Amino acid sequence: MQYAAPRADCPICEDDRQWVPESGQQWTDLETLRAGEYRVRAEEEGEGVIGLGAEPRFAIGERALVVKAEGGNFLWDCFAYLDDEVVAKVTELGGITGIAISHPHYYTTMVEWAHAFDVPVYLHENDRQWIGRPDPSLELWSGSKLDVAPGLTLLNLGVHFAGGTVMHWDRGALFSGDIVQVIPDRSHVGFMYSYPNYIPERPEIVRHAAELLEPYEYEQIYGAWWGAVVRSDGAAIVQKSARRYLKHVL
């Protein structure tokens, strides 16, 4: 999480969905990181979907996705590292027209990204309190649905965070971050309030999420990590996973 000024604490780290190591909180800045060994990693994750991340892995290691949508490339989620090489790679891919982020753990350097490409960042207003660096580029939206670009729809499921959001692409894909978690068993997905601290999501939230997703058709589900992709039957997998979850927790 990037903050607007130095501070003694990190609320997103101290929240019970995350954790602070026994060694204590650690801080850095982009200038320090750019003087190190980090490079951009770019790989195709699916048809019309390019993964972007830092190599070697930095922080929690999530990767972003460039979605080659009808109205122009759109960035789903964000990763913390950004330098001239990353900007050049995204520009080589055709640039981006906007950014949407699933939840606060991936806010990271979103303002730096917005400034580098002169685009808005769409965040759900229910997660307003977690913004570490306010900026005019951040566009807060409300409700359960936002058509953010041709063929791209944001859906506020409320899983993991109150503003927890996924993005549906009408070419048959769901971009889910940690909101609908792609797990090692690709025949199911997971729903958690906290992953590292093993706190299950509330049943009423999971039921509501499944109901919101039920009308949408999609085959692929793209999670937050390299290779975390369900390749087929995604919509049915989400619904049967929600039923399994509710069976075990109720």
Side-chain angles (χ1 to χ4, degrees):
M1 176 66 77
Q2 186 181 49
Y3 290 97
R7 56 187 298 161
D9 65 333
C10 171
I12 198 71
C13 303
E14 296 178 354
D15 175 65
D16 61 3
R17 278 161 286 213
Q18 265 297 338
W19 56 285
V20 175
E22 290 185 3
S23 57
Q25 186 69 61
Q26 297 182 42
W27 298 92
T28 189
D29 55 43
L30 271 177
E31 182 179 357
T32 301
L33 293 175
R34 288 167 176 164
E37 59 182 336
Y38 294 103
R39 303 294 303 274
V40 62
R41 175 181 173 184
E43 296 179 11
E44 185 177 276
E45 288 275 62
E47 185 177 354
V49 181
I50 308 297
L52 292 173
E55 188 69 36
R57 170 186 169 127
F58 174 71
I60 61 176
E62 83 280 6
R63 56 101 172 89
L65 294 167
V66 174
V67 182
K68 292 185 169 296
E70 176 186 347
N73 292 348
F74 200 89
L75 188 71
W76 170 249
D77 274 338
C78 195
F79 67 100
Y81 188 63
L82 182 67
D83 64 5
D84 290 344
E85 184 189 18
V86 178
V87 172
K89 174 54 70 173
V90 175
T91 302
E92 177 188 319
L93 293 170
I96 54 175
T97 60
I99 302 170
I101 302 181
S102 59
H103 70 291
H105 290 155
Y106 303 154
Y107 283 1
T108 62
T109 52
M110 60 183 176
V111 173
E112 301 283 347
W113 282 79
H115 290 178
F117 297 100
D118 192 24
V119 296
V121 181
Y122 298 94
L123 310 174
H124 198 276
E125 68 172 5
N126 286 349
D127 287 337
R128 179 195 302 265
Q129 73 185 89
W130 301 108
I131 295 172
R133 181 185 172 188
D135 189 82
S137 64
L138 306 181
E139 295 199 10
L140 301 181
W141 62 283
S142 60
S144 60
K145 174 183 174 181
L146 176 68
D147 293 324
V148 73
L152 298 176
T153 301
L154 302 181
L155 298 167
N156 171 225
L157 304 188
V159 175
H160 195 35
F161 277 81
T165 295
V166 298
M167 183 170 74
H168 180 261
W169 188 15
D170 64 3
R171 283 179 53 179
L174 187 74
F175 300 91
S176 66
D178 283 353
I179 309 309
V180 175
Q181 181 75 285
V182 175
I183 60 177
D185 174 8
R186 298 295 197 265
S187 68
H188 288 80
V189 293
F191 312 91
M192 294 287 279
Y193 178 80
S194 169
Y195 292 94
N197 297 323
Y198 306 115
I199 306 172
E201 186 51 90
R202 292 146 293 182
E204 64 271 19
I205 298 294
V206 174
R207 183 182 295 109
H208 177 67
E211 290 172 353
L212 278 176
L213 285 172
E214 199 278 331
Y216 292 88
E217 297 180 1
Y218 49 95
E219 289 291 317
Q220 293 83 41
I221 305 173
Y222 292 89
W225 316 100
W226 290 106
V229 182
V230 171
R231 298 291 176 187
S232 62
D233 210 24
I237 284 173
V238 167
Q239 295 301 320
K240 76 175 182 179
S241 296
R243 291 192 296 270
R244 183 178 75 167
Y245 182 93
L246 294 171
K247 178 181 178 181
H248 282 277
V249 299
L250 288 175

